[in-house]
Amino acid sequence: MLSFIFISICLIVASLGISLLSKIQRLKEAGDKIKTLNLSLEEMDEQAKLIMRTDMELNKAQEELDKKISGLDTLQKLSQEINTTLEEKQIFKKIDNKYLEELGFERSLAFLWKSLEREFRPYLRLGYNDEEAAKIETALNANKDYFLDLIQNGISASSEFMPEGFLAKDKIRRMFLVHSFIICPVLTQEGDRGFIFVGTQNTEASITKGDQEFISILANQISQTLDNARLFEKIWKSQQELEIKVEERTRQLTQALEEVKTISKRKSDFISSVSHELRTPLTSIKGYAAILLTGKLGTMPDEIKNRLEKINRHSDELVHMVNDLLDISRIESGKVDMKIESLDLKTVIEKVADLLSEQLKTKNISFGSNIVDSCQKIMADRGQIERVFINLVGNALKFTPQNGKININANCANKIIQIDVVDSGFGIPQEAQEHIFEEFYRVDNTINQQVKGTGLGLTLVKHIVEAHQGKIWVKSKLGEGSTFSFTLKAGE
Ligand code: ADP
């Protein structure tokens, strides 16, 4: 029985031992697991910290990006505003508090260097009162050389980056009454020098590279617009000067034209009245000579008769000259009424040829005309245009030797007829051609000494042609002949 109890106890103890061992084993395993879990927890913690850090950095980058986008937007709007201005002061007025705040600043100043006065002058003031601004201007001009150097080198300065040789950061802070700031030079091709300053009193704010870039872009924009303004000013000024000059010249020319008109009118009036005055005594002289020549008042010796005939002839010439003069002055002053009608050119020429036929025959000069079919009609005053032909063909006859040729040709284009009176005469020297239409002008040569004339025929012809809105000119070669050409409107 005892041994049974003993065995039972032993079995119980053994089973308890086994169970204990297995529990110890499980506890050990649990301990290992806890260790592993602890390690994982630590790793997770590290990762969570990393994620948080990355998130913060991402947020910061996002903020920077947002700031840049809004800054660029502000800059673009500001550039557009500035670009529409061409007046120095107005350019700076476009930069206002709203734009400045959008860029993250509440104070701004701009100064331009005035080389004559040798000082900086303010062009923009935002966020400062009068007293502060005046103090800054004084301090700035006291340190002008530093600022001029900075501008000349085209370098920007900021509370984050100060170039070597420039004033100390804290000095600028005290001078401009800000915590953070940016200074960017304004340097134009036209020679303007200055700078733009932006700043903030906010001690939390810090200047980024992006901020500095923005203000640099703004300063460049201002420089370019200042250049445009200067160029515009120059162009505007020269245009004004030109306009004044043109006005002055026009005034002088109008005055000169008026004077010429007055003189010309006076001359016409004078010629006209003198001609009138001459006509009456001339008619009497001619009349008396004619009566005496008839012999009604008694016979007279041949010598006296000859002289009287001369008086009669010369009187005729004088009457002719006076009439030409009167006609010229009348046409010049527009007193002659032109009865413009469509005329048959051939008929006009035939009439003139008929009138001059005796002289043509005497000198055995061949006369012909060549009129293009489509140019048969001219718009002209019959009486006046006959005078033109009589004068031109008459001259051709005078200045063409025996057995010569005279031809009239007519061509037309664009409803204008050109008529050429061509002769095979002595010709006109080159230097005389430009004077040929002037009053009383006669070529000074031996032929003219033998041929009578007044030098008024061509002047009259020119006036008549111009009164028809035509033109007249001459081409001639000495010894070969002359061609007088004139234009008229074509008739229907
Ligand atoms: P006039 O014939 O009375 O001298 P005109 O005014 O008709 O005056 O002519 C001016 C001058 O032009 C003439 O004196 C003459 O020297 C020159 N002239 C005109 N027509 C011709 C011509 N067909 N050939 C050569 N010379 C001419």
Side-chain angles (χ1 to χ4, degrees):
M1 187 63 182
L2 270 172
S3 64
F4 174 74
I5 291 166
F6 178 75
I7 288 167
S8 298
I9 289 167
C10 278
L11 276 171
I12 288 164
V13 169
S15 74
L16 279 171
I18 288 166
S19 141
L20 196 67
L21 270 174
S22 83
K23 272 190 182 161
I24 288 168
Q25 180 63 30
R26 265 190 268 150
L27 268 173
K28 202 180 160 223
E29 279 174 13
D32 284 349
K33 270 186 187 164
I34 284 167
K35 252 190 202 165
T36 323
L37 271 172
N38 265 342
L39 270 174
S40 308
L41 267 176
E42 268 171 29
E43 265 174 31
M44 277 170 77
D45 196 37
E46 275 301 308
Q47 273 176 358
K49 274 185 194 157
L50 191 72
I51 287 167
M52 271 173 71
R53 262 206 313 277
T54 318
D55 188 46
M56 266 168 66
E57 272 167 20
L58 271 173
N59 273 343
K60 211 175 152 200
Q62 179 70 45
E63 253 175 47
E64 275 276 312
L65 207 67
D66 286 348
K67 205 173 153 193
K68 272 203 172 173
I69 290 169
S70 104
L72 278 174
D73 189 45
T74 309
L75 261 188
Q76 199 217 349
K77 279 189 259 167
L78 198 50
S79 295
Q80 272 172 358
E81 290 257 359
I82 290 174
N83 262 338
T84 57
T85 325
L86 281 171
E87 214 260 298
E88 197 180 70
K89 294 251 176 203
Q90 292 300 323
I91 296 171
F92 292 97
K93 278 203 179 131
K94 297 285 173 186
I95 307 166
D96 61 14
N97 286 316
K98 182 182 72 160
Y99 288 127
L100 195 64
E101 272 165 30
E102 278 174 23
L103 290 169
F105 303 95
E106 78 278 358
R107 302 196 134 184
S108 181
L109 291 163
F111 287 92
L112 286 185
W113 175 250
K114 298 282 139 187
S115 39
L116 272 182
E117 294 84 356
R118 293 210 50 77
E119 63 180 18
F120 281 103
R121 287 272 169 88
Y123 276 73
L124 165 75
R125 189 183 93 193
L126 291 172
Y128 290 100
N129 62 32
D130 287 351
E131 198 186 331
E132 289 170 333
K135 270 189 190 159
I136 293 171
E137 195 180 329
T138 315
L140 166 68
N141 280 311
N143 292 286
K144 60 187 173 213
D145 290 340
Y146 289 101
F147 284 87
L148 281 174
D149 259 7
L150 187 84
I151 296 163
Q152 210 49 51
N153 295 326
I155 299 170
S156 304
S158 76
S159 41
E160 299 305 308
F161 168 75
M162 293 297 278
E164 245 177 73
F166 192 49
L167 294 169
K169 199 185 296 183
D170 282 335
K171 182 160 181 169
I172 301 283
R173 279 183 173 136
R174 281 196 302 278
M175 201 165 135
F176 288 91
L177 310 163
V178 288
H179 177 261
S180 300
F181 63 85
I182 301 170
I183 299 171
C184 285
V186 168
L187 198 57
T188 73
Q189 285 177 1
E190 292 287 309
D192 286 305
R193 284 185 288 170
F195 66 90
I196 175 154
F197 166 91
V198 291
T200 174
Q201 288 178 305
N202 182 359
T203 46
E204 305 286 299
S206 63
I207 302 293
T208 63
K209 239 182 154 190
D211 293 329
Q212 207 158 328
E213 275 167 16
F214 284 157
I215 307 303
S216 278
I217 292 170
L218 179 62
N220 281 340
Q221 184 72 51
I222 292 171
S223 308
Q224 273 173 22
T225 316
L226 276 174
D227 263 336
N228 291 345
R230 295 276 178 269
L231 279 175
F232 177 77
E233 204 178 289
K234 267 191 198 168
I235 292 169
W236 191 78
K237 257 191 197 155
S238 48
Q239 191 193 329
Q240 291 292 100
E241 280 167 17
L242 209 70
E243 265 173 30
I244 291 170
K245 269 187 196 160
V246 169
E247 256 172 44
E248 174 66 9
R249 280 284 145 80
T250 315
R251 206 183 49 74
Q252 284 172 350
L253 281 175
T254 319
Q255 202 178 330
L257 196 71
E258 282 305 313
E259 277 167 22
V260 168
K261 270 188 195 162
T262 318
I263 293 168
S264 166
K265 191 178 174 308
R266 259 191 233 142
K267 186 199 79 180
S268 290
D269 290 349
F270 172 75
I271 291 176
S272 171
S273 59
V274 167
S275 312
H276 265 297
E277 295 304 314
L278 278 174
R279 238 186 1 185
T280 322
L282 257 177
T283 319
S284 315
I285 293 169
K286 212 181 122 49
Y288 287 130
I291 291 168
L292 287 171
L293 275 170
T294 55
K296 280 179 190 163
L297 298 175
T299 48
M300 63 193 92
D302 281 349
E303 240 175 72
I304 298 179
K305 216 175 165 186
N306 281 344
R307 300 276 157 41
L308 271 175
E309 267 163 4
K310 270 192 182 170
I311 292 176
N312 201 22
R313 228 180 19 253
H314 286 305
S315 302
D316 275 344
E317 281 163 19
L318 263 175
V319 170
H320 189 74
M321 183 173 158
V322 166
N323 283 342
D324 275 356
L325 273 174
L326 263 176
D327 285 337
I328 290 169
S329 76
R330 274 208 217 112
I331 294 172
E332 243 180 9
S333 55
K335 281 182 192 152
V336 174
D337 257 349
M338 297 276 171
K339 287 189 198 74
I340 307 288
E341 55 184 326
S342 183
L343 302 173
D344 185 57
L345 183 57
K346 216 172 205 161
T347 316
V348 176
I349 295 171
E350 272 165 9
K351 186 172 174 191
V352 174
D354 198 40
L355 273 170
L356 301 169
S357 60
E358 273 309 307
Q359 295 158 57
L360 286 166
K361 235 188 248 165
T362 318
K363 284 181 96 175
N364 193 30
I365 287 175
S366 79
F367 179 83
S369 66
N370 183 11
I371 303 164
V372 172
D373 275 350
S374 53
C375 316
Q376 300 287 337
K377 301 273 180 190
I378 52 167
M379 291 301 285
D381 176 295
R382 188 183 292 278
Q384 300 294 349
I385 215 67
E386 278 175 7
R387 293 177 86 184
V388 169
F389 277 106
I390 290 170
N391 266 290
L392 292 179
V393 180
N395 274 347
L397 245 165
K398 269 201 269 180
F399 300 103
T400 301
Q402 292 272 342
N403 310 321
K405 271 194 290 181
I406 298 174
N407 259 298
I408 298 183
N409 304 324
N411 291 288
C412 53
N414 302 325
K415 297 195 172 168
I416 299 286
I417 296 195
Q418 180 182 323
I419 299 158
D420 304 320
V421 180
V422 190
D423 67 49
S424 61
F426 303 115
I428 304 161
Q430 186 68 37
E431 64 280 6
Q433 287 175 27
E434 56 187 285
H435 303 292
I436 212 98
F437 298 100
E438 290 166 12
E439 282 162 28
F440 300 109
Y441 185 86
R442 303 194 77 217
V443 179
D444 188 15
N445 56 21
T446 44
I447 304 150
N448 255 353
Q449 282 157 17
Q450 294 152 22
V451 183
K452 279 195 177 138
T454 58
L456 286 174
L458 285 179
T459 315
L460 183 64
V461 165
K462 186 172 188 275
H463 276 82
I464 297 175
V465 170
E466 284 174 356
H468 282 78
Q469 271 88 51
K471 281 184 187 146
I472 184 161
W473 65 95
V474 64
K475 276 185 184 157
S476 182
K477 229 176 184 183
L478 266 184
E480 286 183 19
S482 310
T483 300
F484 281 85
S485 306
F486 64 97
T487 57
L488 289 172
K489 283 185 189 153
E492 279 150 24

